Amino acid sequence: MFYFQTKKYNDKRGYFSEIVNLPELEQVIGHPFNIKQVNQARSQKNVVRGMHAEGWNKLVTVNSGLIFSVIADIRPDSVTYKQTEYFQLGFDQNEEHGCGLYISQGLANSICTLEGPVNYLYLVDRLYSERDEKDNLSISIFDPDLNIAWPIEKEIMILSKRDKTAVELKDLRQ
């Protein structure tokens, strides 16, 4: 995983920002990042998109709104297994900087919309149709092993059916 900050250039028309410089990213991650698909999701305030781990590497940025992002290591053989990191990502007209995340395959991520609507853009290195189902995981956002400190109450979260019925980590490896 790699967190990066971007510079915004504001003027009376709006702003311009370079979201990512691929040669710089590839130098940091140590391998090529070949974009195969570009996806965008839009979420209203209080939407939580679950702890998903797909079979791809992902570059994420938020074009509008503000999110709380959680990254969890779900690789059982990793020294950081079950550890989580939190980020706040947003990119509005008044701020000087934006930011994004590069999320490696094997890490699960979730977002919680704090200020919306949020436009969440992510670039991936595999096509959706090429993903292996065994690498397409959904882990409960309430998994006690991850112990995520959500910034909003469970009662106001807007969740998909998939995320409401997601399994805990202990049930994945049985």
Side-chain angles (χ1 to χ4, degrees):
M1 177 189 56
F2 172 64
Y3 172 86
F4 58 93
Q5 195 169 39
T6 59
K7 175 77 173 140
K8 284 176 59 176
Y9 301 94
N10 293 304
D11 67 20
K12 64 183 179 185
R13 301 167 296 167
Y15 68 83
F16 167 81
S17 178
E18 178 182 280
I19 292 174
V20 67
N21 180 307
L22 283 177
E24 289 176 5
L25 174 68
E26 291 169 346
Q27 184 174 14
V28 170
I29 64 175
H31 58 82
F33 181 64
N34 298 312
I35 299 165
K36 297 280 182 93
Q37 189 170 310
V38 178
N39 302 315
Q40 182 172 0
R42 184 175 176 92
S43 298
Q44 302 304 318
K45 185 175 180 177
N46 299 327
V47 166
V48 178
R49 294 186 182 259
M51 293 302 298
H52 298 163
E54 293 93 359
W56 52 34
N57 296 301
K58 182 182 339 186
L59 182 67
V60 174
T61 190
V62 174
N63 294 330
S64 65
L66 183 67
I67 65 169
F68 170 82
S69 179
V70 182
I71 309 298
D73 189 345
I74 62 165
R75 302 168 296 185
D77 56 343
S78 172
V79 297
T80 57
Y81 180 54
K82 297 183 185 177
Q83 290 184 15
T84 58
E85 287 197 50
Y86 304 146
F87 299 91
Q88 190 168 295
L89 303 177
F91 207 3
D92 71 36
Q93 187 68 27
N94 301 319
E95 294 185 13
E96 193 173 315
H97 295 280
C99 52
L101 290 171
Y102 173 83
I103 304 166
S104 303
Q105 184 173 339
L107 301 178
N109 75 295
S110 178
I111 67 162
C112 172
T113 303
L114 301 174
E115 295 176 15
V118 161
N119 288 311
Y120 177 88
L121 184 71
Y122 57 106
L123 296 76
V124 296
D125 62 357
R126 291 180 74 186
L127 294 173
Y128 184 86
S129 60
E130 293 175 348
R131 296 177 313 152
D132 188 334
E133 279 304 309
K134 71 177 175 51
D135 294 326
N136 187 16
L137 305 174
S138 184
I139 294 94
S140 173
I141 63 171
F142 306 112
D143 188 320
D145 286 338
L146 298 177
N147 194 28
I148 299 168
W150 292 104
I152 65 172
E153 299 298 319
K154 181 178 181 177
E155 295 74 31
I156 64 169
M157 289 181 176
I158 302 167
L159 300 166
S160 71
K161 181 180 178 181
R162 175 186 182 200
D163 294 331
K164 288 178 183 176
T165 60
V167 300
E168 294 180 1
L169 276 176
K170 65 181 170 99
D171 298 325
L172 283 179
R173 306 297 176 203
Q174 294 182 2

PDB file of all heavy atoms in Angstrom, residues 116-143:
ATOM      1  N   GLY A 116     -20.880  13.834   1.338  1.00  0.00           N
ATOM      2  CA  GLY A 116     -21.193  13.345   0.014  1.00  0.00           C
ATOM      3  C   GLY A 116     -22.030  14.329  -0.767  1.00  0.00           C
ATOM      4  O   GLY A 116     -22.413  15.360  -0.237  1.00  0.00           O
ATOM      5  N   PRO A 117     -22.283  13.964  -1.998  1.00  0.00           N
ATOM      6  CA  PRO A 117     -21.885  12.680  -2.567  1.00  0.00           C
ATOM      7  C   PRO A 117     -20.380  12.618  -2.834  1.00  0.00           C
ATOM      8  O   PRO A 117     -19.726  13.637  -3.009  1.00  0.00           O
ATOM      9  CB  PRO A 117     -22.667  12.599  -3.877  1.00  0.00           C
ATOM     10  CG  PRO A 117     -22.930  14.017  -4.251  1.00  0.00           C
ATOM     11  CD  PRO A 117     -23.029  14.783  -2.954  1.00  0.00           C
ATOM     12  N   VAL A 118     -19.882  11.390  -2.860  1.00  0.00           N
ATOM     13  CA  VAL A 118     -18.477  11.121  -3.147  1.00  0.00           C
ATOM     14  C   VAL A 118     -18.384  10.497  -4.530  1.00  0.00           C
ATOM     15  O   VAL A 118     -19.178   9.612  -4.871  1.00  0.00           O
ATOM     16  CB  VAL A 118     -17.874  10.155  -2.094  1.00  0.00           C
ATOM     17  CG1 VAL A 118     -16.608   9.499  -2.597  1.00  0.00           C
ATOM     18  CG2 VAL A 118     -17.605  10.887  -0.799  1.00  0.00           C
ATOM     19  N   ASN A 119     -17.446  10.973  -5.318  1.00  0.00           N
ATOM     20  CA  ASN A 119     -17.083  10.319  -6.566  1.00  0.00           C
ATOM     21  C   ASN A 119     -15.716   9.695  -6.345  1.00  0.00           C
ATOM     22  O   ASN A 119     -14.731  10.402  -6.124  1.00  0.00           O
ATOM     23  CB  ASN A 119     -17.053  11.312  -7.731  1.00  0.00           C
ATOM     24  CG  ASN A 119     -18.443  11.735  -8.123  1.00  0.00           C
ATOM     25  OD1 ASN A 119     -19.320  10.904  -8.298  1.00  0.00           O
ATOM     26  ND2 ASN A 119     -18.675  13.026  -8.219  1.00  0.00           N
ATOM     27  N   TYR A 120     -15.689   8.365  -6.387  1.00  0.00           N
ATOM     28  CA  TYR A 120     -14.535   7.544  -6.039  1.00  0.00           C
ATOM     29  C   TYR A 120     -14.046   6.889  -7.325  1.00  0.00           C
ATOM     30  O   TYR A 120     -14.771   6.105  -7.935  1.00  0.00           O
ATOM     31  CB  TYR A 120     -15.037   6.520  -5.018  1.00  0.00           C
ATOM     32  CG  TYR A 120     -14.103   5.484  -4.504  1.00  0.00           C
ATOM     33  CD1 TYR A 120     -13.306   5.734  -3.397  1.00  0.00           C
ATOM     34  CD2 TYR A 120     -14.074   4.207  -5.047  1.00  0.00           C
ATOM     35  CE1 TYR A 120     -12.493   4.753  -2.864  1.00  0.00           C
ATOM     36  CE2 TYR A 120     -13.264   3.224  -4.530  1.00  0.00           C
ATOM     37  CZ  TYR A 120     -12.479   3.496  -3.422  1.00  0.00           C
ATOM     38  OH  TYR A 120     -11.679   2.524  -2.894  1.00  0.00           O
ATOM     39  N   LEU A 121     -12.856   7.256  -7.771  1.00  0.00           N
ATOM     40  CA  LEU A 121     -12.304   6.757  -9.021  1.00  0.00           C
ATOM     41  C   LEU A 121     -11.204   5.760  -8.708  1.00  0.00           C
ATOM     42  O   LEU A 121     -10.352   6.023  -7.861  1.00  0.00           O
ATOM     43  CB  LEU A 121     -11.726   7.929  -9.825  1.00  0.00           C
ATOM     44  CG  LEU A 121     -11.189   7.626 -11.215  1.00  0.00           C
ATOM     45  CD1 LEU A 121     -12.334   7.322 -12.176  1.00  0.00           C
ATOM     46  CD2 LEU A 121     -10.376   8.796 -11.722  1.00  0.00           C
ATOM     47  N   TYR A 122     -11.243   4.587  -9.370  1.00  0.00           N
ATOM     48  CA  TYR A 122     -10.159   3.636  -9.155  1.00  0.00           C
ATOM     49  C   TYR A 122      -9.757   2.946 -10.451  1.00  0.00           C
ATOM     50  O   TYR A 122     -10.575   2.576 -11.263  1.00  0.00           O
ATOM     51  CB  TYR A 122     -10.468   2.646  -8.038  1.00  0.00           C
ATOM     52  CG  TYR A 122     -11.712   1.809  -8.167  1.00  0.00           C
ATOM     53  CD1 TYR A 122     -11.629   0.454  -8.482  1.00  0.00           C
ATOM     54  CD2 TYR A 122     -12.975   2.340  -7.923  1.00  0.00           C
ATOM     55  CE1 TYR A 122     -12.766  -0.335  -8.561  1.00  0.00           C
ATOM     56  CE2 TYR A 122     -14.111   1.556  -7.996  1.00  0.00           C
ATOM     57  CZ  TYR A 122     -13.995   0.219  -8.315  1.00  0.00           C
ATOM     58  OH  TYR A 122     -15.114  -0.571  -8.398  1.00  0.00           O
ATOM     59  N   LEU A 123      -8.440   2.842 -10.608  1.00  0.00           N
ATOM     60  CA  LEU A 123      -7.822   2.236 -11.775  1.00  0.00           C
ATOM     61  C   LEU A 123      -7.273   0.888 -11.343  1.00  0.00           C
ATOM     62  O   LEU A 123      -6.637   0.797 -10.285  1.00  0.00           O
ATOM     63  CB  LEU A 123      -6.694   3.124 -12.302  1.00  0.00           C
ATOM     64  CG  LEU A 123      -7.099   4.497 -12.828  1.00  0.00           C
ATOM     65  CD1 LEU A 123      -7.404   5.467 -11.696  1.00  0.00           C
ATOM     66  CD2 LEU A 123      -6.022   5.065 -13.701  1.00  0.00           C
ATOM     67  N   VAL A 124      -7.492  -0.144 -12.140  1.00  0.00           N
ATOM     68  CA  VAL A 124      -7.074  -1.492 -11.764  1.00  0.00           C
ATOM     69  C   VAL A 124      -6.265  -2.141 -12.877  1.00  0.00           C
ATOM     70  O   VAL A 124      -6.372  -1.764 -14.047  1.00  0.00           O
ATOM     71  CB  VAL A 124      -8.288  -2.364 -11.388  1.00  0.00           C
ATOM     72  CG1 VAL A 124      -8.979  -1.812 -10.141  1.00  0.00           C
ATOM     73  CG2 VAL A 124      -9.292  -2.459 -12.527  1.00  0.00           C
ATOM     74  N   ASP A 125      -5.469  -3.140 -12.488  1.00  0.00           N
ATOM     75  CA  ASP A 125      -4.574  -3.775 -13.457  1.00  0.00           C
ATOM     76  C   ASP A 125      -5.091  -5.109 -13.998  1.00  0.00           C
ATOM     77  O   ASP A 125      -4.343  -5.855 -14.624  1.00  0.00           O
ATOM     78  CB  ASP A 125      -3.160  -3.925 -12.876  1.00  0.00           C
ATOM     79  CG  ASP A 125      -3.096  -4.812 -11.657  1.00  0.00           C
ATOM     80  OD1 ASP A 125      -4.151  -5.296 -11.190  1.00  0.00           O
ATOM     81  OD2 ASP A 125      -1.975  -5.028 -11.158  1.00  0.00           O
ATOM     82  N   ARG A 126      -6.368  -5.403 -13.755  1.00  0.00           N
ATOM     83  CA  ARG A 126      -7.025  -6.569 -14.361  1.00  0.00           C
ATOM     84  C   ARG A 126      -8.441  -6.177 -14.733  1.00  0.00           C
ATOM     85  O   ARG A 126      -9.046  -5.325 -14.086  1.00  0.00           O
ATOM     86  CB  ARG A 126      -7.071  -7.748 -13.382  1.00  0.00           C
ATOM     87  CG  ARG A 126      -5.699  -8.335 -13.117  1.00  0.00           C
ATOM     88  CD  ARG A 126      -5.758  -9.486 -12.146  1.00  0.00           C
ATOM     89  NE  ARG A 126      -6.318 -10.663 -12.807  1.00  0.00           N
ATOM     90  CZ  ARG A 126      -6.595 -11.784 -12.164  1.00  0.00           C
ATOM     91  NH1 ARG A 126      -6.381 -11.880 -10.865  1.00  0.00           N
ATOM     92  NH2 ARG A 126      -7.096 -12.811 -12.806  1.00  0.00           N
ATOM     93  N   LEU A 127      -8.967  -6.820 -15.742  1.00  0.00           N
ATOM     94  CA  LEU A 127     -10.361  -6.592 -16.100  1.00  0.00           C
ATOM     95  C   LEU A 127     -11.255  -7.291 -15.087  1.00  0.00           C
ATOM     96  O   LEU A 127     -10.896  -8.338 -14.530  1.00  0.00           O
ATOM     97  CB  LEU A 127     -10.658  -7.137 -17.495  1.00  0.00           C
ATOM     98  CG  LEU A 127      -9.944  -6.446 -18.654  1.00  0.00           C
ATOM     99  CD1 LEU A 127     -10.203  -7.190 -19.949  1.00  0.00           C
ATOM    100  CD2 LEU A 127     -10.380  -5.000 -18.765  1.00  0.00           C
ATOM    101  N   TYR A 128     -12.414  -6.730 -14.851  1.00  0.00           N
ATOM    102  CA  TYR A 128     -13.378  -7.326 -13.925  1.00  0.00           C
ATOM    103  C   TYR A 128     -13.649  -8.781 -14.317  1.00  0.00           C
ATOM    104  O   TYR A 128     -13.671  -9.657 -13.466  1.00  0.00           O
ATOM    105  CB  TYR A 128     -14.670  -6.511 -13.936  1.00  0.00           C
ATOM    106  CG  TYR A 128     -15.693  -6.979 -12.938  1.00  0.00           C
ATOM    107  CD1 TYR A 128     -15.662  -6.530 -11.627  1.00  0.00           C
ATOM    108  CD2 TYR A 128     -16.701  -7.866 -13.308  1.00  0.00           C
ATOM    109  CE1 TYR A 128     -16.589  -6.957 -10.691  1.00  0.00           C
ATOM    110  CE2 TYR A 128     -17.639  -8.298 -12.388  1.00  0.00           C
ATOM    111  CZ  TYR A 128     -17.580  -7.846 -11.083  1.00  0.00           C
ATOM    112  OH  TYR A 128     -18.502  -8.279 -10.165  1.00  0.00           O
ATOM    113  N   SER A 129     -13.796  -9.025 -15.615  1.00  0.00           N
ATOM    114  CA  SER A 129     -14.118 -10.373 -16.102  1.00  0.00           C
ATOM    115  C   SER A 129     -12.958 -11.359 -15.950  1.00  0.00           C
ATOM    116  O   SER A 129     -13.162 -12.563 -16.012  1.00  0.00           O
ATOM    117  CB  SER A 129     -14.536 -10.309 -17.569  1.00  0.00           C
ATOM    118  OG  SER A 129     -13.481  -9.778 -18.354  1.00  0.00           O
ATOM    119  N   GLU A 130     -11.736 -10.853 -15.720  1.00  0.00           N
ATOM    120  CA  GLU A 130     -10.561 -11.723 -15.580  1.00  0.00           C
ATOM    121  C   GLU A 130     -10.280 -12.115 -14.135  1.00  0.00           C
ATOM    122  O   GLU A 130      -9.406 -12.920 -13.875  1.00  0.00           O
ATOM    123  CB  GLU A 130      -9.313 -11.011 -16.124  1.00  0.00           C
ATOM    124  CG  GLU A 130      -9.327 -10.776 -17.598  1.00  0.00           C
ATOM    125  CD  GLU A 130      -8.126  -9.965 -18.064  1.00  0.00           C
ATOM    126  OE1 GLU A 130      -7.393  -9.400 -17.231  1.00  0.00           O
ATOM    127  OE2 GLU A 130      -7.926  -9.889 -19.289  1.00  0.00           O
ATOM    128  N   ARG A 131     -11.020 -11.520 -13.198  1.00  0.00           N
ATOM    129  CA  ARG A 131     -10.733 -11.800 -11.791  1.00  0.00           C
ATOM    130  C   ARG A 131     -11.075 -13.238 -11.443  1.00  0.00           C
ATOM    131  O   ARG A 131     -12.051 -13.791 -11.927  1.00  0.00           O
ATOM    132  CB  ARG A 131     -11.534 -10.871 -10.879  1.00  0.00           C
ATOM    133  CG  ARG A 131     -11.172  -9.431 -11.028  1.00  0.00           C
ATOM    134  CD  ARG A 131     -12.024  -8.549 -10.158  1.00  0.00           C
ATOM    135  NE  ARG A 131     -13.432  -8.926 -10.295  1.00  0.00           N
ATOM    136  CZ  ARG A 131     -14.336  -8.765  -9.351  1.00  0.00           C
ATOM    137  NH1 ARG A 131     -14.018  -8.222  -8.216  1.00  0.00           N
ATOM    138  NH2 ARG A 131     -15.586  -9.123  -9.542  1.00  0.00           N
ATOM    139  N   ASP A 132     -10.285 -13.815 -10.589  1.00  0.00           N
ATOM    140  CA  ASP A 132     -10.522 -15.155 -10.086  1.00  0.00           C
ATOM    141  C   ASP A 132     -11.472 -15.038  -8.894  1.00  0.00           C
ATOM    142  O   ASP A 132     -11.216 -14.266  -7.976  1.00  0.00           O
ATOM    143  CB  ASP A 132      -9.185 -15.776  -9.653  1.00  0.00           C
ATOM    144  CG  ASP A 132      -9.307 -17.239  -9.308  1.00  0.00           C
ATOM    145  OD1 ASP A 132     -10.413 -17.682  -8.920  1.00  0.00           O
ATOM    146  OD2 ASP A 132      -8.299 -17.949  -9.418  1.00  0.00           O
ATOM    147  N   GLU A 133     -12.564 -15.779  -8.892  1.00  0.00           N
ATOM    148  CA  GLU A 133     -13.554 -15.674  -7.821  1.00  0.00           C
ATOM    149  C   GLU A 133     -12.961 -15.920  -6.438  1.00  0.00           C
ATOM    150  O   GLU A 133     -13.398 -15.334  -5.454  1.00  0.00           O
ATOM    151  CB  GLU A 133     -14.730 -16.621  -8.070  1.00  0.00           C
ATOM    152  CG  GLU A 133     -15.751 -16.068  -9.040  1.00  0.00           C
ATOM    153  CD  GLU A 133     -16.317 -14.710  -8.624  1.00  0.00           C
ATOM    154  OE1 GLU A 133     -16.767 -14.542  -7.474  1.00  0.00           O
ATOM    155  OE2 GLU A 133     -16.296 -13.797  -9.463  1.00  0.00           O
ATOM    156  N   LYS A 134     -11.936 -16.766  -6.343  1.00  0.00           N
ATOM    157  CA  LYS A 134     -11.335 -17.028  -5.026  1.00  0.00           C
ATOM    158  C   LYS A 134     -10.614 -15.793  -4.490  1.00  0.00           C
ATOM    159  O   LYS A 134     -10.380 -15.685  -3.289  1.00  0.00           O
ATOM    160  CB  LYS A 134     -10.390 -18.227  -5.080  1.00  0.00           C
ATOM    161  CG  LYS A 134      -9.099 -18.001  -5.837  1.00  0.00           C
ATOM    162  CD  LYS A 134      -8.215 -19.237  -5.766  1.00  0.00           C
ATOM    163  CE  LYS A 134      -6.979 -19.131  -6.594  1.00  0.00           C
ATOM    164  NZ  LYS A 134      -6.163 -17.962  -6.425  1.00  0.00           N
ATOM    165  N   ASP A 135     -10.287 -14.852  -5.356  1.00  0.00           N
ATOM    166  CA  ASP A 135      -9.641 -13.608  -4.939  1.00  0.00           C
ATOM    167  C   ASP A 135     -10.632 -12.466  -4.764  1.00  0.00           C
ATOM    168  O   ASP A 135     -10.246 -11.349  -4.461  1.00  0.00           O
ATOM    169  CB  ASP A 135      -8.582 -13.191  -5.965  1.00  0.00           C
ATOM    170  CG  ASP A 135      -7.422 -14.154  -6.031  1.00  0.00           C
ATOM    171  OD1 ASP A 135      -7.066 -14.721  -4.977  1.00  0.00           O
ATOM    172  OD2 ASP A 135      -6.879 -14.346  -7.128  1.00  0.00           O
ATOM    173  N   ASN A 136     -11.900 -12.734  -4.965  1.00  0.00           N
ATOM    174  CA  ASN A 136     -12.939 -11.713  -4.862  1.00  0.00           C
ATOM    175  C   ASN A 136     -13.655 -11.898  -3.522  1.00  0.00           C
ATOM    176  O   ASN A 136     -14.679 -12.556  -3.433  1.00  0.00           O
ATOM    177  CB  ASN A 136     -13.911 -11.851  -6.036  1.00  0.00           C
ATOM    178  CG  ASN A 136     -14.917 -10.736  -6.081  1.00  0.00           C
ATOM    179  OD1 ASN A 136     -14.758  -9.705  -5.438  1.00  0.00           O
ATOM    180  ND2 ASN A 136     -15.983 -10.952  -6.826  1.00  0.00           N
ATOM    181  N   LEU A 137     -13.093 -11.312  -2.472  1.00  0.00           N
ATOM    182  CA  LEU A 137     -13.570 -11.555  -1.122  1.00  0.00           C
ATOM    183  C   LEU A 137     -14.297 -10.352  -0.541  1.00  0.00           C
ATOM    184  O   LEU A 137     -13.966  -9.206  -0.852  1.00  0.00           O
ATOM    185  CB  LEU A 137     -12.385 -11.891  -0.210  1.00  0.00           C
ATOM    186  CG  LEU A 137     -11.503 -13.049  -0.662  1.00  0.00           C
ATOM    187  CD1 LEU A 137     -10.298 -13.178   0.261  1.00  0.00           C
ATOM    188  CD2 LEU A 137     -12.297 -14.343  -0.702  1.00  0.00           C
ATOM    189  N   SER A 138     -15.254 -10.637   0.322  1.00  0.00           N
ATOM    190  CA  SER A 138     -15.948  -9.609   1.075  1.00  0.00           C
ATOM    191  C   SER A 138     -15.908 -10.020   2.541  1.00  0.00           C
ATOM    192  O   SER A 138     -16.430 -11.071   2.910  1.00  0.00           O
ATOM    193  CB  SER A 138     -17.391  -9.485   0.589  1.00  0.00           C
ATOM    194  OG  SER A 138     -18.037  -8.429   1.249  1.00  0.00           O
ATOM    195  N   ILE A 139     -15.266  -9.204   3.360  1.00  0.00           N
ATOM    196  CA  ILE A 139     -15.088  -9.487   4.773  1.00  0.00           C
ATOM    197  C   ILE A 139     -15.982  -8.539   5.561  1.00  0.00           C
ATOM    198  O   ILE A 139     -16.119  -7.361   5.219  1.00  0.00           O
ATOM    199  CB  ILE A 139     -13.605  -9.306   5.195  1.00  0.00           C
ATOM    200  CG1 ILE A 139     -12.729 -10.357   4.521  1.00  0.00           C
ATOM    201  CG2 ILE A 139     -13.428  -9.421   6.696  1.00  0.00           C
ATOM    202  CD1 ILE A 139     -12.110  -9.919   3.273  1.00  0.00           C
ATOM    203  N   SER A 140     -16.564  -9.024   6.631  1.00  0.00           N
ATOM    204  CA  SER A 140     -17.456  -8.210   7.446  1.00  0.00           C
ATOM    205  C   SER A 140     -16.754  -6.954   7.953  1.00  0.00           C
ATOM    206  O   SER A 140     -15.649  -7.021   8.489  1.00  0.00           O
ATOM    207  CB  SER A 140     -17.964  -9.016   8.644  1.00  0.00           C
ATOM    208  OG  SER A 140     -18.711  -8.179   9.516  1.00  0.00           O
ATOM    209  N   ILE A 141     -17.449  -5.827   7.809  1.00  0.00           N
ATOM    210  CA  ILE A 141     -16.898  -4.573   8.314  1.00  0.00           C
ATOM    211  C   ILE A 141     -16.942  -4.524   9.842  1.00  0.00           C
ATOM    212  O   ILE A 141     -16.349  -3.644  10.448  1.00  0.00           O
ATOM    213  CB  ILE A 141     -17.605  -3.342   7.703  1.00  0.00           C
ATOM    214  CG1 ILE A 141     -19.078  -3.301   8.100  1.00  0.00           C
ATOM    215  CG2 ILE A 141     -17.436  -3.315   6.196  1.00  0.00           C
ATOM    216  CD1 ILE A 141     -19.784  -2.010   7.729  1.00  0.00           C
ATOM    217  N   PHE A 142     -17.616  -5.486  10.436  1.00  0.00           N
ATOM    218  CA  PHE A 142     -17.722  -5.573  11.899  1.00  0.00           C
ATOM    219  C   PHE A 142     -16.909  -6.739  12.455  1.00  0.00           C
ATOM    220  O   PHE A 142     -17.112  -7.142  13.597  1.00  0.00           O
ATOM    221  CB  PHE A 142     -19.193  -5.695  12.323  1.00  0.00           C
ATOM    222  CG  PHE A 142     -20.047  -4.595  11.773  1.00  0.00           C
ATOM    223  CD1 PHE A 142     -21.010  -4.858  10.815  1.00  0.00           C
ATOM    224  CD2 PHE A 142     -19.863  -3.279  12.178  1.00  0.00           C
ATOM    225  CE1 PHE A 142     -21.799  -3.845  10.292  1.00  0.00           C
ATOM    226  CE2 PHE A 142     -20.641  -2.256  11.656  1.00  0.00           C
ATOM    227  CZ  PHE A 142     -21.615  -2.536  10.714  1.00  0.00           C
ATOM    228  N   ASP A 143     -15.983  -7.272  11.658  1.00  0.00           N
ATOM    229  CA  ASP A 143     -15.165  -8.398  12.093  1.00  0.00           C
ATOM    230  C   ASP A 143     -14.410  -8.019  13.376  1.00  0.00           C
ATOM    231  O   ASP A 143     -13.654  -7.042  13.378  1.00  0.00           O
ATOM    232  CB  ASP A 143     -14.174  -8.771  10.985  1.00  0.00           C
ATOM    233  CG  ASP A 143     -13.418 -10.049  11.256  1.00  0.00           C
ATOM    234  OD1 ASP A 143     -13.023 -10.285  12.419  1.00  0.00           O
ATOM    235  OD2 ASP A 143     -13.214 -10.820  10.308  1.00  0.00           O
TER     236      ASP A 143
END
